[in-house]
Amino acid sequence: MTAKLTREQIVSAYTQLLGSERVITDEQTLKENSVDRYYKVENVFGIYSLPVPAAVVKPSTPQEVAAVLALANENGINIVPKTGGSATEGGLETVIENSVVVDGSTMNEILSIDTENMLATVQCGVCLEDLETELRKIGYTTGHSPQSKPLAQFGGLVATRSIGQFSTLYGGIEDMLVGVETVFPNGQICRIKNVPRRAAGPDIRHLVLGNEGTLNFITEVTVKIFRYFPENNRFYGYLLNDMKTGLAILREVITQGYRPSVARLYDSEDGLYHFKKFSNGQCVLIFVAEGPVRIADATGAAIEEIVASFGSAERVDGALIEDWFNNLNWDVSKLEEERIEIRETLINGFTTEISGNWSVIGDIYDNAIARIRAEVSADFTLLGGHSSHSYLNGTNMYFVYYYKIDVDPTLERTTYHDPIQNIIVEETLKLGGSMCHHHGVGKHRTHFLAEEYGSSLYMLETLKAAFDPNGIMNRGTIFPLTK
Ligand SMILES: Cc1cc2nc3c(=O)[nH]c(=O)nc-3n(C[C@H](O)[C@H](O)[C@H](O)COP(=O)(O)OP(=O)(O)OC[C@H]3O[C@@H](n4cnc5c(N)ncnc54)[C@H](O)[C@@H]3O)c2cc1C
């Protein structure tokens, strides 16, 4: 649908709906809301090139969200849903003129913590760390710990299918989400109730999970909570000569049925970056066993036995791994310092995360790294990766690449990031893997959507046409932009 209102009319209509205090139009806020990714050149160098949104609006109830969306739906206004703002793949980029960013961060109440049914219900703008802090005070945990925990909020966590560091035990957000309330572009508010399981037709929670703001706006989330036994945590670290042995060990631990909360394997370059003190340029394999003491002990003993059965791994002190974990989460307070460092050194980087079955993941890793080295002309300060989330059938690979920006900073993405990400995705799809493991499609991987989905693209496109017939929800995200 083409836009029916001018920029001024859009601002005026939303001001009438929400009042001027909740319709933000100052130039700097609008610029900052035209992009995501904290270390993008736009944010680092202050060079904003995308169309800036007409306004950032802040509804405070599901009914207000419904009115905001309905107004956009009737008038062809592109809506970009937002909560914590920690997206990395362009999901928050306002690529359409006169978009409206709908910021749910003021809906930030923890509504209930129900320790009998093991549920916590929060509004979409509750920061994960805030809920986690409240739960830990009473001996519980969400089990969810993405590195962006200090910033990410529940709307975005659900909308991107996020996953945390303890996923091997607790799963990703899709395993944690019990019920949800969400609003569709026509203003329809839908609630999916909280029950332990259901078989009444398809699981419609998956129309909400991972929709990246392209189908509906999430207003309330209920997640599982778990008992928390940090005193039982056991930390294990090993040095290995090669990735394939590490992947084989991960596979053995998981397929034997053990569920350490953390199971990670770093290649030599990424290992050196994270574990300077002890990695000596080798691959680093890490496990954490947690839970009730008998389970933690049994899991830990099995890990030691399985690793020993592969012969060549050298054990490192578990205290070093524990110390590393305690400092792993993103420290938002250092953001400005880090931006200054990027401006001074011109060293920046990106990541690309994919997944594949056990039989192909090692080849995806080898082939992608070999092609990047051969085809991308860049002064790399780090080119490597790690596996951080393992499953019965396979694992993910999180490629990390840092380089010196030797071009005009505005060309950074097209010179370095896009070619590198394209190689990783091409090598993944070639061997049947998935092009995104947890950051979402955003706006930067949409050109691979048809190949990723194959014949099932029909299902995805039909959902979009049914729920967002006027195409107002986050255009250019997940679904490639058409003229
Ligand atoms: C330093 C850093 C570390 C990270 N580590 C991890 C990690 O370990 N694991 C992981 O999974 N991700 C990680 N991420 C990515 C990101 O933090 C997560 O994807 C997170 O879930 C996004 O939540 P948010 O509230 O910040 O969402 P936002 O950035 O606000 O939005 C993300 C996407 O969801 C949509 N959206 C936001 N709110 C809503 C809503 N209410 N309804 C519908 N759609 C909505 C947006 O349009 C956008 O497409 C990391 C990011 C950074 C910057």
Side-chain angles (χ1 to χ4, degrees):
M1 189 195 238
T2 45
K4 292 181 186 164
L5 303 181
T6 63
R7 191 173 179 86
E8 292 70 31
Q9 286 170 328
I10 292 171
V11 172
S12 154
Y14 278 112
T15 306
Q16 242 174 333
L17 200 65
L18 299 175
S20 56
E21 285 193 354
R22 290 190 289 141
V23 179
I24 319 298
T25 55
D26 82 80
E27 202 53 28
Q28 188 55 29
T29 305
L30 295 183
K31 279 183 182 165
E32 286 167 8
N33 276 272
S34 68
V35 287
D36 54 35
R37 196 182 263 269
Y38 282 83
Y39 305 106
K40 260 188 194 150
V41 290
E42 285 87 341
N43 289 320
V44 172
F45 294 94
I47 312 165
Y48 295 93
S49 52
L50 290 173
V52 291
V56 176
V57 304
K58 300 193 170 189
S60 60
T61 63
Q63 290 71 25
E64 283 184 353
V65 172
V68 164
L69 297 194
L71 181 94
N73 200 35
E74 281 153 24
N75 294 288
I77 301 163
N78 183 54
I79 290 293
V80 179
K82 175 178 181 177
T83 50
S86 67
T88 57
E89 294 298 317
L92 298 177
E93 287 177 0
T94 52
V95 293
I96 304 293
E97 290 290 344
N98 298 336
S99 295
V100 169
V101 174
V102 181
D103 181 341
S105 63
T106 52
M107 288 186 268
N108 58 3
E109 240 185 275
I110 297 175
L111 298 172
S112 68
I113 291 175
D114 171 355
T115 54
E116 183 179 8
N117 297 307
M118 305 295 278
L119 301 169
T121 299
V122 294
Q123 290 186 306
C124 61
V126 168
C127 179
L128 174 56
E129 185 152 283
D130 292 345
L131 177 62
E132 187 63 26
T133 303
E134 287 310 306
L135 286 172
R136 287 191 185 182
K137 282 182 197 161
I138 54 170
Y140 293 83
T141 175
T142 57
H144 202 34
S145 188
Q147 221 197 336
S148 52
K149 185 165 80 174
L151 207 82
Q153 300 173 2
F154 274 88
L157 289 161
V158 172
T160 55
R161 298 184 76 95
S162 60
I163 198 162
Q165 289 141 7
F166 310 127
S167 67
T168 314
L169 179 60
Y170 299 102
I173 194 78
E174 66 275 19
D175 304 299
M176 300 163 175
L177 183 78
V178 183
V180 68
E181 179 189 75
T182 201
V183 185
F184 285 86
N186 61 1
Q188 178 80 38
I189 303 175
C190 294
R191 176 178 287 275
I192 301 176
K193 67 185 175 186
N194 301 325
V195 287
R197 186 176 188 263
R198 60 205 106 204
D203 191 342
I204 53 177
R205 287 173 299 181
H206 290 269
L207 303 180
V208 181
L209 281 157
N211 91 77
E212 296 184 45
T214 66
L215 299 176
N216 47 66
F217 190 103
I218 301 153
T219 47
E220 190 184 298
V221 171
T222 299
V223 285
K224 295 173 187 169
I225 60 173
F226 302 86
R227 297 219 173 149
Y228 186 50
F229 307 98
E231 64 282 6
N232 299 337
N233 288 358
R234 316 268 186 269
F235 297 85
Y236 301 87
Y238 303 90
L239 302 180
L240 300 167
N241 291 329
D242 63 287
M243 285 293 273
K244 285 206 165 143
T245 306
L247 289 168
I249 297 174
L250 284 178
R251 181 186 170 280
E252 197 55 30
V253 169
I254 304 297
T255 59
Q256 281 199 26
Y258 294 101
R259 292 292 171 266
S261 58
V262 176
R264 286 181 168 237
L265 171 67
Y266 288 78
D267 74 2
S268 57
E269 284 211 19
D270 205 10
L272 209 53
Y273 175 74
H274 281 273
F275 310 102
K276 267 187 206 75
K277 283 187 202 155
F278 61 85
S279 82
N280 303 324
Q282 287 182 280
C283 301
V284 180
L285 179 65
I286 285 174
F287 294 99
V288 179
E290 67 169 84
V293 70
R294 291 188 192 88
I295 292 182
D297 281 344
T299 306
I303 286 166
E304 289 186 272
E305 209 176 284
I306 291 168
V307 177
S309 75
F310 279 78
S312 56
E314 179 194 334
R315 178 96 191 250
V316 296
D317 182 358
L320 292 169
I321 308 300
E322 182 172 7
D323 181 49
W324 174 76
F325 253 105
N326 291 337
N327 295 297
L328 178 60
N329 271 346
W330 190 33
D331 183 352
V332 190
S333 68
K334 290 199 180 135
L335 180 60
E336 208 33 60
E337 217 176 285
E338 286 169 352
R339 283 180 178 161
I340 292 170
E341 196 181 321
I342 296 171
R343 283 198 291 272
E344 285 175 359
T345 61
L346 291 177
I347 292 170
N348 203 0
F350 277 86
T351 62
T352 301
E353 23 59 58
I354 55 85
S355 70
N357 291 342
W358 291 118
S359 56
V360 296
I361 195 72
D363 289 340
I364 292 173
Y365 167 81
D366 286 343
N367 298 347
I369 295 280
R371 264 192 71 194
I372 296 167
R373 288 203 193 285
E375 295 174 28
V376 181
S377 156
D379 184 2
F380 285 107
T381 55
L382 195 175
L383 171 59
H386 59 263
S387 153
S388 39
H389 307 279
S390 284
Y391 311 89
L392 186 68
N393 315 107
T395 190
N396 80 313
M397 191 56 65
Y398 190 94
F399 290 90
V400 184
Y401 34 98
Y402 279 81
Y403 40 73
K404 182 96 191 277
I405 306 171
D406 274 331
V407 291
D408 175 339
T410 58
L411 301 176
E412 182 205 349
R413 212 181 92 199
T414 48
T415 309
Y416 306 107
H417 173 56
D418 290 349
I420 296 169
Q421 176 142 292
N422 285 344
I423 289 173
I424 294 167
V425 171
E426 281 162 20
E427 291 306 316
T428 302
L429 292 174
K430 219 184 266 176
L431 294 183
S434 175
M435 67 166 175
C436 304
H437 177 265
H438 61 267
H439 284 164
V441 182
K443 295 188 175 73
H444 301 167
R445 298 188 216 182
T446 57
H447 51 298
F448 289 110
L449 192 75
E451 205 181 331
E452 166 78 14
Y453 272 75
S455 60
S456 65
L457 186 64
Y458 165 74
M459 297 165 75
L460 188 72
E461 288 183 335
T462 305
L463 281 179
K464 178 71 174 169
F467 289 116
D468 183 22
N470 294 333
I472 61 141
M473 296 295 285
N474 210 353
R475 281 182 60 194
T477 297
I478 300 184
F479 304 89
L481 269 184
T482 49
K483 283 257 162 87

